[in-house]
Amino acid sequence: MKYNQLGKSDLQASEISYGCMSLQDDHAANARLLHQAFDQGINYFDTADLYQKGENEISVGKAFKGRRSNVLLATKVGNQLLPDGSTAWNASKAYILQAVEQSLRRLQTDYIDLYQLHGGTLDDPIDDTIAAFEQLQQEGKIRYYGISSIRPNVIREYMQRSTMVSVMTQYSLLDRRPEEETLKLLHEHSISVLVRGSYAQGLLLGKPAKEYLGYSAEEVSGMAAAVRTTADELHAAPAQVAARFVLDTPGVASAVVGIRTAEQLAEALRIEAFASLPSQARQTLELVLKSKQYEQHR
């Protein structure tokens, strides 16, 4: 497994990382799957306090209680669970300082390797939000922080005003909007990109085509067919082609892949065996559809 440095931190994250949102409700089964991933070289595990209303963090914490020093645990904050079971966005300093304690308890650890704001808008008290992360870093409760966002205007603000080391963002052959600006900016500022959605909800891997981010079902089907053709020509699997497309992009440190089953884990691990996407193949795929641009939050 290849490992990449996250920004200017000393965190070395596996190129393929585990998106824990897909875990099921069985803690024992989850632990077995997470241990298999770790044993095969995956060291970066991404969860959030929002997932399963905290149960996801609990499951991850149970799994790695005896291996804590060998893994990178990343979680997220900002979606406050209300008494009625709904959530409300809260990026205040007071809330973040309170929420981290609950995440630490559920994860059964005294520090979080990467704490991420789970979204964000320009209406947030951004300086207070950053101050919360900086305070937690100074207290040793988190090692580093970042944000999870697709919004260029929010990413620019945090890039200019904080010491974040990473941005998690959606990027795939069916969502190349980050190529317009954010990928280049983050790379220039040595802030690593963690990619989610590299399979585009499985649409690139053979799931029935549907409208997606402004592309028609026919266009989505055409891109999926192009991925299959490229995979066949390179003696690879569609998942390898789809993931390598994003991983070969400068500044991308890891593809966060949602994994629910042993079969999905095996598929994710095979990505590593496909070292790179030939430039000609990449150019061919890029020409299949015209890249979209962000219409909001620019």
Side-chain angles (χ1 to χ4, degrees), residues 7-223:
K8 297 177 181 178
S9 76
D10 60 359
L11 304 179
Q12 295 286 330
S14 49
E15 188 176 46
I16 308 302
S17 48
Y18 201 121
C20 298
M21 183 174 69
S22 299
L23 291 175
Q24 303 186 62
D25 296 330
D26 186 331
H27 291 319
N30 289 343
R32 288 193 293 272
L33 200 57
L34 291 167
H35 291 169
Q36 288 174 29
F38 173 76
D39 291 340
Q40 294 295 318
I42 292 177
N43 76 338
Y44 181 95
F45 297 85
D46 181 88
T47 181
D49 58 4
L50 174 68
Y51 302 159
Q52 298 166 290
K53 298 180 179 180
E55 284 298 315
N56 201 272
E57 286 184 326
I58 290 173
S59 204
V60 173
K62 284 178 177 290
F64 290 118
K65 186 177 181 181
R67 308 186 183 194
R68 177 66 187 95
S69 62
N70 297 316
V71 299
L72 300 182
L73 295 185
T75 191
K76 309 181 195 77
V77 65
N79 293 284
Q80 183 175 10
L81 183 64
L82 302 179
D84 64 1
S86 64
T87 59
W89 179 247
N90 191 342
S92 70
K93 180 178 181 180
Y95 174 67
I96 292 172
L97 296 180
Q98 166 197 327
V100 74
E101 300 297 338
Q102 301 304 313
S103 286
L104 289 168
R105 177 181 57 80
R106 289 189 290 262
L107 289 167
Q108 299 188 53
T109 184
D110 55 5
Y111 69 95
I112 293 164
D113 295 290
L114 183 67
Y115 203 33
Q116 301 160 99
L117 185 67
H118 204 171
T121 73
L122 293 185
D123 295 328
D124 293 340
I126 293 176
D127 288 332
D128 274 358
T129 303
I130 293 170
F133 287 124
E134 295 284 351
Q135 179 177 327
L136 291 174
Q137 196 171 27
Q138 291 168 9
E139 292 174 351
K141 293 178 180 178
I142 67 173
R143 293 176 67 189
Y144 300 97
Y145 66 91
I147 65 172
S148 175
S149 179
I150 63 171
R151 297 177 172 183
N153 56 6
V154 171
I155 291 171
R156 282 195 300 268
E157 288 300 313
Y158 278 88
M159 183 182 67
Q160 294 165 3
R161 295 155 70 172
S162 78
T163 59
M164 68 177 179
V165 300
S166 64
V167 170
M168 177 179 283
T169 199
Q170 181 168 288
Y171 179 43
S172 75
L173 276 163
L174 284 172
D175 186 3
R176 292 169 54 204
R177 294 175 297 177
E179 292 178 356
E180 181 191 358
E181 177 186 8
T182 54
L183 292 177
K184 181 181 177 181
L185 278 177
L186 291 170
H187 184 49
E188 289 174 349
H189 286 78
S190 299
I191 298 170
S192 289
V193 175
L194 301 166
V195 171
R196 63 175 178 84
S198 55
Y199 298 159
Q201 300 177 358
L203 294 172
L204 295 171
L205 307 188
K207 280 195 174 181
K210 63 177 182 179
E211 292 185 6
Y212 185 79
L213 298 177
Y215 293 119
S216 68
E218 291 75 17
E219 289 174 317
V220 169
S221 179
M223 177 57 81

Side-chain angles (χ1 to χ4, degrees), residues 258-276:
I259 299 169
R260 181 183 292 267
T261 66
E263 291 74 22
Q264 291 175 345
L265 173 59
E267 180 180 63
L269 289 168
R270 281 195 292 270
I271 294 168
E272 195 67 17
F274 186 54
S276 65

